[in-house]
Each structure stands twice: as structure tokens, then as C-alpha cells.
Amino acid sequence: MSSHPNQRCMVTGVGGYLPKTIIHNDQLSSEFHLNTDDAWIRTRTGITQRHRASENETTSDMGIAAARSALHDAHMDGADLDLIIVATSTPDQAFPSTATIVLDGLGSKHAVAFDMNAACSGFLFALIMAESYLMQSNKNHALVIGSESMTRLLNWQDRSTAILFGDGAGAVILSRTASSDRGIIGHCLFSDGKNGKALHDLYVTTPSADHPMGVIVMDGQAVFREAVSQLISSTHTLLAEKSIDLADVDWIIPHQANKRILDRMCTDMNIDHRKMLYTGDMHANTSAASIPLTWWKARQNNTIKPGQLILLQAFGAGFTWGSCLVRS
Ligand code: ACO
């Protein structure tokens, strides 16, 4: 039961950060010697380029940059924050958490900070945890970051995975407000860990001397099928629970894994493809950072108007998945 029955949590600021180095599809064959080409990657995934963090650039560095941009958008500074969650599968190290490094970088003396890993669904899971915290406490402002150094998990000899991922960070400020109709209006989250790691369709190997963080291994077609199916089912579950018609959703911000997955979902659900916001062509799959990065771009373009209904959709390794409705 919420301690604040007539209030909601609203997104009051959105920010993002993408590293300076860009790797275009063509460079994967010319510089990384992958047996692939631009046309194959574009057609199968929608991706045209990805960003790569510099050698000394960490997940916390990118998170801090995205956080500053979200704080600026919300007209706030680090001292105003009560909670910082960093959703990441690629933390700077096991501990201290990336979130406490971000906290220090922002000068957020009063905030509670921790990391969360739900793979590509991490941002959505963290957003809901932040909402629950604010609604159950006397705290007002949370910073939710998705920040990932995915290229550090890549085997650059594996063309089936190396083409798909990129680095970056996105962030939102979530604030408890007196509004009862705007903000987060519902969510559903799911996890399924059956089969154990060895049989998973998508996982990171145990670390080795060559790959200190492990490398991504994936059965692309199995992940494709599972992603389409769970994005659709969680959306139907949430809309039914809230008695909201899909036609009343103005914008969809899905996890930016792969344009073909999203096109297939839109076709199967009879969704107007123009409602689906997609920026993955420019930054590839940035895992937990992808939803806030797309939101950031929409914010910059003034795409989403006050009062419009946004559907967030996530799917990631685990598997983890879910949906969330936000009234802008
Ligand atoms: N360039 C050229 N050829 C390639 C490449 C490449 N990068 N990768 C694979 N191929 C070849 C394969 O070797 C195969 O050749 P063959 O027919 O001679 O054996 C052929 O292309 C077809 O390979 P498939 O794996 O069947 O290709 P598919 O159409 O399934 O596309 C892809 C592969 C893009 C990975 C697709 O399965 C997919 O999108 N899966 C979803 C995975 C995903 O997005 N994961 C992201 C992480 S999960 C998440 O974020 C939720």
C-alpha cells in the first residue's frame, strides 16, 4: 500500500551520453576483420553504427555524464537526489558499486545508491524499484541510470554478436509529485531462469585470461522468438490490468535490441509502426541504457507532448522482461 495514495512519480528530466568513438558497420569488416558487411547488418538488425567507450572511459564515467544531462533537464543538481540506482551488467568492478561512484561524482551527499542487474531489462526494473522507494518513503527525487560498456563483453571474432552491441548511458530523474494522473501509472515485470546457465540462449561466459569480463554467447533466433513473444504478452497483461486500449498509447519506447524484433512485434500486435520510437540504428544495443537513450532523443526532438501515454517495453537475458505505462 502506497504511503502517498494521491501522488505519482513523474519523469522530470531525461539525459544521455554516447562516447565519441563511432564504429560504422563497414569498419567491422575493414578494421575488425569480421566477415560481414553493412547491407547484411542493416537488413537483419537495423543497426548502422555503434559507439565505443575509450580505453579509460568507465561505466560510471558515462553514467555521470548522462546523469548531469538529466539533472540539467530537470533543473536540479546532485544535492537534490535521495536515491541513485545504476542498472548495468558491466559495472566498473564488483565493488564499490558503480552507483556510489556516480553519487560521489555528482556530489549527492544525501542519496542512497546501489547497482542493479537485470540485463537489458535493467533500466525498467530500476525505474520501478525507484518508484516503489519514493512512494513508500518521505523521499522525493531518484536518479535512474542505465549505463553499459557492452563492447568490453564482445568477442570481436564472433560476427553473430559483435555487430549487435554498443556503449552508452541514459538517465532519468523520477520525482514524487502531487499529480494523480501524470507519471507512472502501472507496470508488470517478469523473470524466468529455468534451464540454468549452460542452456541459456543468451549469457556471458565465465571470465578468462583473454576475456576478463567474459564474452556474450547467443542463440540469435531463440532470443528473437522469445523477445517478440514476451514483449507482446507483457504488454497485453499490463493493458488488461489497467483497462487501457492499445490504441490509446501514443508512443512506445522499447528496448532497442534489434529493429526486426520491434517491427515484428508491431506487426503481430497491429501497432502503427510510427508510434514505436527507434534510435538503435545510431547506437546499436546498449542493453540497460537503450530505453533512456531513446527517451533522451525523443526529449531533444520534443516528440512526446505533456499528457501523452508512453509504453516502455523491456526484454533481456535471464530471461527478464516487462512493460510500464507512463503518462507524460
Ligand atoms: N554478417 C554476415 N553473415 C552473418 C552474420 C554477419 N554479421 N552473422 C551471421 N551470419 C550468417 C550466418 O553464419 C548464417 O550463414 P549460413 O546460412 O551460411 O549458415 C546466415 O548469416 C544466417 O544466420 P542466422 O543466424 O540464421 O541469421 P538471422 O536471420 O537469425 O539473423 C540475428 C541473426 C541478427 C542475430 C537474429 O537472429 C537476431 O536479430 N536475433 C535477435 C538477437 C538480439 O537482438 N540479441 C540482442 C541481445 S538480446 C536483447 O537485447 C534482448
Side-chain angles (χ1 to χ4, degrees), residues 1 55 67 77 83 107 144 154 165 186 197 232 267 282 296 328:
M1 185 68 185
E55 211 173 314
D77 64 40
L83 173 69
V144 182
L154 293 178
F165 295 93
K197 182 176 164 185
I232 292 174
T267 303
M282 302 307 284
W296 178 47
S328 176

Side-chain angles (χ1 to χ4, degrees), residues 50-250:
R50 70 282 299 136
H51 292 247
R52 188 182 192 186
S54 64
E55 211 173 314
N56 299 322
E57 196 169 32
T58 61
T59 295
S60 60
D61 291 334
M62 294 190 287
I64 289 170
R68 288 206 170 110
S69 130
L71 284 166
H72 178 77
D73 190 36
H75 308 290
M76 287 170 51
D77 64 40
D80 297 320
L81 296 170
D82 300 303
L83 173 69
I84 299 173
I85 308 180
V86 176
T88 186
S89 308
T90 49
D92 291 8
Q93 65 270 312
F95 57 80
S97 69
T98 304
T100 52
I101 297 169
V102 169
L103 172 144
D104 189 50
L106 297 175
S108 306
K109 292 199 171 56
H110 310 293
V112 172
F114 62 93
D115 290 359
M116 245 191 65
N117 182 348
C120 298
S121 304
F123 173 78
L124 187 58
F125 279 46
L127 186 73
I128 300 311
M129 296 309 126
E131 185 216 14
S132 306
Y133 182 75
L134 295 183
M135 294 304 282
Q136 297 297 333
S137 67
N138 60 350
K139 308 293 183 190
N140 294 313
H141 303 294
L143 166 66
V144 182
I145 301 173
S147 185
E148 300 278 19
S149 308
M150 295 305 287
T151 63
R152 297 200 168 106
L153 293 180
L154 293 178
N155 170 4
W156 289 101
Q157 269 88 52
D158 178 5
R159 65 179 181 175
S160 66
T161 52
I163 61 166
L164 293 173
F165 295 93
D167 302 333
V172 301
I173 306 295
L174 193 66
S175 302
R176 191 157 52 79
T177 75
S179 168
S180 59
D181 56 347
R182 293 175 68 192
I184 295 177
I185 61 175
H187 67 267
C188 59
L189 306 178
F190 303 94
S191 306
D192 182 353
K194 71 173 177 286
N195 292 340
K197 182 176 164 185
L199 295 177
H200 272 188
D201 299 321
L202 176 62
Y203 66 96
V204 173
T205 59
T206 45
S208 65
D210 283 351
H211 297 289
M213 292 175 71
V215 290
I216 296 172
V217 176
M218 181 183 69
D219 175 343
Q221 293 185 3
V223 171
F224 192 105
R225 283 192 299 274
E226 191 75 14
V228 172
S229 145
Q230 302 300 15
L231 291 172
I232 292 174
S233 81
S234 71
T235 299
H236 282 317
T237 302
L238 178 58
L239 292 173
E241 198 180 302
K242 292 285 153 195
S243 304
I244 289 174
D245 200 302
L246 186 54
D248 294 330
V249 172
D250 296 292

Side-chain angles (χ1 to χ4, degrees), residues 279-294:
T279 57
D281 54 338
M282 302 307 284
H283 53 70
N285 183 345
T286 55
S287 192
S290 88
I291 289 177
L293 273 172
T294 303

